[in-house]
Amino acid sequence: MHLDTYLVTAEAISAGRSTVEIVEAAIDGGIDVVQLREKQMSARKRYGLGQELRELTREAGVPLLVNDRIDLAAAVDADGVHLGDADLPISVARDQLGEDAVVGRSVSTPAAAREAERTGADYLGVGAVYPTDSKDTDPEGTEIGLDRIRAVAEAVEIPFVGIGGVKPDNAAAVIEAGADGVAVISAITAADDPAAATRDLGAAVERDPE
């Protein structure tokens, strides 16, 4: 699974556009992974949305992951799930979704990254790299910075994406620090042209840091 550019959905900041519209545009722009998040939606509504996104992503050959909900990932036949500190363990996701499922884990420290790798995570989401108000963190004082990205890169062998405040103009620095890709919410979802924003992000990530 390529992790270069990774979209986490958030209809609440999409300027009135649907998540389906945003994902369609991101696919047009070359997105590598889509994660269905939408924590404000009911499970039923997320299920319906997940079915639509599954059809879109499958046709495009783009992996679809589901945030937190192992049951929802199974219900929409997603490629896997992304788990946080408050979610069920990686081992449970494996039991429920199968060994071939992609299981990601959110971490913010090298120690947590090593533990996630030890317990079977396929990849990590590390952040928040820069200040952000898109994730479930306080807007101020939560960023871990590029030094932490470098430390995580030295601590684990599994791939990881940097998330949190990442934009086309700072994405290359995250890759240079050791991340395998970048995950974004607002940089694509809130953009005037999500497809163009996705292309810009991809171009930044592909830039040779040397």
Side-chain angles (χ1 to χ4, degrees), residues 16-72:
R17 298 163 296 190
S18 71
T19 290
V20 171
E21 290 176 293
I22 298 297
V23 170
E24 285 177 331
I27 288 172
D28 287 344
I31 200 72
D32 292 303
V33 183
V34 173
Q35 181 194 127
L36 171 60
R37 192 164 184 264
E38 308 300 350
K39 288 195 173 186
Q40 306 308 313
M41 287 185 181
S42 67
R44 182 178 292 273
K45 188 172 181 182
R46 253 200 289 182
Y47 170 65
L49 175 58
Q51 289 180 305
E52 291 185 79
L53 296 186
R54 174 70 288 183
E55 184 175 343
L56 276 176
T57 55
R58 180 173 282 136
E59 183 176 337
V62 173
L64 174 67
L65 308 179
V66 173
N67 182 270
D68 296 350
R69 296 287 299 268
I70 297 169
D71 58 341
L72 184 58

Side-chain angles (χ1 to χ4, degrees), residues 83-160:
L83 304 172
D85 289 339
D87 299 324
L88 292 171
I90 292 168
S91 60
V92 175
R94 289 273 177 234
D95 289 343
Q96 296 296 313
L97 300 177
E99 287 301 314
D100 291 336
V102 176
V103 181
R105 183 69 163 81
S106 292
V107 300
S108 59
T109 67
R114 284 190 292 268
E115 175 64 11
E117 181 179 50
R118 185 188 69 78
T119 54
D122 292 303
Y123 78 93
L124 306 172
V126 182
V129 182
Y130 302 112
T132 178
D133 57 8
S134 293
K135 286 175 65 64
D136 294 336
T137 58
D138 293 329
E140 301 296 332
T142 59
E143 66 272 15
I144 62 172
L146 295 175
D147 285 343
R148 189 79 61 81
I149 294 294
R150 294 185 187 96
V152 170
E154 292 176 359
V156 297
E157 295 184 3
I158 57 174
F160 70 93

Side-chain angles (χ1 to χ4, degrees), residues 185-200:
I185 302 176
S186 59
I188 291 174
T189 303
D192 291 338
D193 186 337
T198 304
R199 286 190 289 271
D200 289 344

